[in-house]
Amino acid sequence: MTVAATALDRAPPAWRNALDAGLARFGDRLRAHGRLIRAVQWAVVAVYAVLVIVPALLPLPGNAQHIWNDLTLAAQFAFWGIWWPFVLVSMVLVGRAWCGVLCPEGTLTEFASRWSRGYAIPRWITWGGWPFVAFAGTTVYGQMTSVYGYPKPVLAVLGGSTLAAVAVGLLYGRNKRVWCRYLCPVNGVFAVLSKLAPLSFQVDRAAWAASPKPLRGAESFNCAPLVPVKAMRGAGSCHMCGRCSGHRGAVRLALRAPNHEIVHVAGDEPSWEQTSLILFGMMALAVGAFQWSSSPWYVDVKQAVATWLVERGTTWPLEHTAPWFVLTDYPEKNDVLTLLDGGLLLAYIAAATLVLGLALSALVALAARALGPFSLRRFHHFAQTLIPVAGCGVFLGLSALTVTFLRGDGIHVPYVAEMRAGLLAGASLWSAWLAWRVAGLSAVGLRRAAATACIAGAAALSVANWVLLFWVW
């Protein structure tokens, strides 16, 4: 992707030139004001530390407490009602600027790496399956321990992740973000969502090649997340920190078409890791994680299994619990998961992951086959077209917590159902349009329409599960 391939191809030249020049200057300011950015980062770290640590040391709030007068409730709302839902939105709007400018884990792991032992990064860290495994692990564990409702699981999940980030920084790389590049639990989700961002740092490869090679010791930049900037074509791995802005006269912040990377770049970078994360993670496992507590299927199966166990005199799975860091165990809040609850929770999420993931994969495979002989490269490319509806689902699942927190304090959010319906419809249409554009690269007519219809079917299947959660159950 070159600087010339920006988004406003139809805009008046004067407006386009002025806007591009302004964005380029802003990128240069990010590079020039590194100290200010670091000050902001440490302020975020301080707030993050208070919200993660202090509530875990306080008694659980009573029924009379509210978001505005209790730190524990305020922290829960900050993390799960504001922080995470709208960080996801930021990925689609401005790429991974959160990662490069605000993320406390990124700040801490890079800071720790100043004193790194400098060990070579081992192959197990660079394994491509970590984005899915880390996302799945933290999502499932969060459900098992009710991380959205209690401060101790927050300390275990977020605090544990932060300690791991610092440890990786102390061992591998120097002044780098090895944790962010390979092991961060949300790295994969952020990487796929940022492909839709209309704003990114873009590289003019011709200008790079034509510029004089910098002399040894000349001013350069440190790409902390280990991005090969010279060859960068997309926004998935870039942290938008601005440190490379203006380098060799070839890197600058600019607009691009939101569809550009999916249509014109993703097909050249097939990835099993991202495909599995999209189809089996964001569109399947996440559905099971958000659904299970409201699902009548879960309740029916639980009743049937419990009856079967009682009839055989085996009652210990219904009576025994586990510590709070294994399964939810807050009897003072009448919130306890038994071993049976925990086992069925895992079974429900696993079943949703397997059934939905395979069904979605089949529809994507049919889309690839509709254009001719089956091609894995085409299969991976079509999977990328589902990023809008996949991201929308995860956002709606998290933002449901926003609504729940506010309603619990008597604050009514108007038009929630209408906004959810609009977002699901818009994301589905966006995915279908991306599929139409991708199919048009190699086919026309009925084949193109058939491939698009298969992706539209996959989007509809995803939407149907959110309809069950928000409107049926």
Side-chain angles (χ1 to χ4, degrees):
M1 178 174 54
T2 65
V3 171
T6 52
L8 303 181
D9 293 330
R10 300 180 183 178
W15 177 29
R16 173 174 175 172
N17 292 340
L19 184 55
D20 280 352
L23 288 172
R25 286 194 299 271
F26 183 78
D28 291 342
R29 289 190 181 118
L30 288 175
R31 181 198 64 213
H33 293 87
R35 289 186 178 181
L36 176 60
I37 291 175
R38 284 190 289 275
V40 172
Q41 289 173 332
W42 284 109
V44 174
V45 168
V47 173
Y48 173 79
V50 170
L51 293 180
V52 169
I53 297 171
V54 175
L57 305 176
L58 299 175
L60 291 176
N63 295 331
Q65 301 303 308
H66 301 281
I67 292 171
W68 53 85
N69 63 11
D70 184 85
L71 180 60
T72 299
L73 294 177
Q76 290 170 359
F77 181 66
F79 277 128
W80 311 116
I82 299 176
W83 191 312
W84 286 112
F86 293 99
V87 165
L88 292 182
V89 173
S90 77
M91 297 297 149
V92 180
L93 297 178
V94 293
R96 299 182 65 170
W98 162 265
C99 300
V101 178
L102 297 172
C103 178
E105 284 193 0
T107 301
L108 290 169
T109 195
E110 185 178 354
F111 178 74
S113 74
R114 294 184 182 181
W115 298 276
S116 172
R117 301 296 296 273
Y119 295 143
I121 302 173
R123 293 185 62 181
W124 68 266
I125 284 183
T126 62
W127 176 54
W130 282 122
F132 177 83
V133 171
F135 172 78
T138 53
T139 300
V140 172
Y141 183 70
Q143 294 297 317
M144 292 171 62
T145 58
S146 296
V147 71
Y148 305 128
Y150 299 101
K152 288 182 179 178
V154 171
L155 180 60
V157 173
L158 298 183
S161 176
T162 301
L163 289 177
V166 171
V168 169
L170 290 171
L171 293 174
Y172 306 108
R174 195 172 298 279
N175 296 315
K176 301 297 182 184
R177 297 186 175 196
V178 175
W179 169 264
C180 305
R181 179 69 174 83
Y182 297 109
L183 298 174
C184 173
V186 287
N187 173 52
V189 175
F190 289 174
V192 298
L193 292 180
S194 61
K195 293 185 177 189
L196 303 173
L199 193 67
S200 69
F201 279 94
Q202 301 172 23
V203 181
D204 186 332
R205 300 173 80 174
W208 186 297
S211 67
K213 186 175 181 179
L215 299 174
R216 184 181 299 275
E219 182 179 357
S220 185
F221 66 92
N222 168 41
C223 183
L226 302 164
V227 179
V229 175
K230 178 181 178 180
M232 184 172 68
R233 300 179 62 206
S237 56
C238 175
H239 283 199
M240 300 287 285
C241 62
R243 299 180 196 183
C244 62
S245 185
H247 184 67
R248 299 184 70 161
V251 185
R252 71 175 184 177
L253 186 65
L255 286 173
R256 62 176 187 170
N259 297 334
H260 176 84
E261 186 170 344
I262 302 297
V263 176
H264 298 293
V265 178
D268 297 330
E269 301 173 348
S271 169
W272 274 110
E273 296 83 3
Q274 291 192 353
T275 297
S276 61
L277 179 63
I278 295 166
L279 300 179
F280 287 86
M282 299 170 68
M283 299 183 72
L285 184 144
V287 169
F290 286 115
Q291 266 190 0
W292 72 271
S293 60
S294 303
S295 172
W297 303 334
Y298 173 86
V299 174
D300 292 343
V301 171
K302 178 182 174 180
Q303 290 176 343
V305 173
T307 301
W308 185 85
L309 289 171
V310 170
E311 288 174 349
R312 284 153 181 78
T314 305
T315 59
W316 61 265
L318 291 77
E319 300 169 346
H320 286 72
T321 61
W324 67 264
F325 52 84
V326 178
L327 285 174
T328 302
D329 186 27
Y330 301 94
E332 67 274 29
K333 292 288 186 179
N334 295 316
D335 191 5
V336 176
L337 292 181
T338 65
L339 297 182
L340 176 62
D341 293 322
L344 292 179
L345 181 162
L346 293 174
Y348 189 98
I349 295 177
T353 302
L354 187 63
V355 172
L356 288 176
L358 290 175
L360 291 165
S361 298
L363 288 167
V364 175
L366 285 174
R369 180 64 180 84
L371 299 185
F374 181 77
S375 163
L376 278 176
R377 180 180 293 271
R378 194 180 295 134
F379 172 81
H380 292 306
H381 199 178
F382 273 120
Q384 299 271 318
T385 66
L386 289 168
I387 290 176
V389 74
C392 180
V394 176
F395 169 75
L396 288 179
L398 288 172
S399 63
L401 300 171
T402 311
V403 175
T404 300
F405 285 130
L406 293 175
R407 284 179 177 171
D409 277 332
I411 301 173
H412 176 68
V413 182
Y415 305 111
V416 170
E418 291 81 359
M419 287 188 287
R420 287 170 174 165
L423 287 172
L424 287 170
S428 299
L429 290 173
W430 192 355
S431 285
W433 175 244
L434 285 170
W436 177 259
R437 293 283 307 278
V438 169
L441 298 176
S442 55
V444 295
L446 290 178
R447 285 185 177 273
R448 186 181 188 184
T452 304
C454 291
I455 297 301
L461 176 60
S462 177
V463 169
N465 286 282
W466 297 109
V467 169
L468 285 176
L469 178 60
F470 293 129
W471 286 279
V472 177
W473 294 339

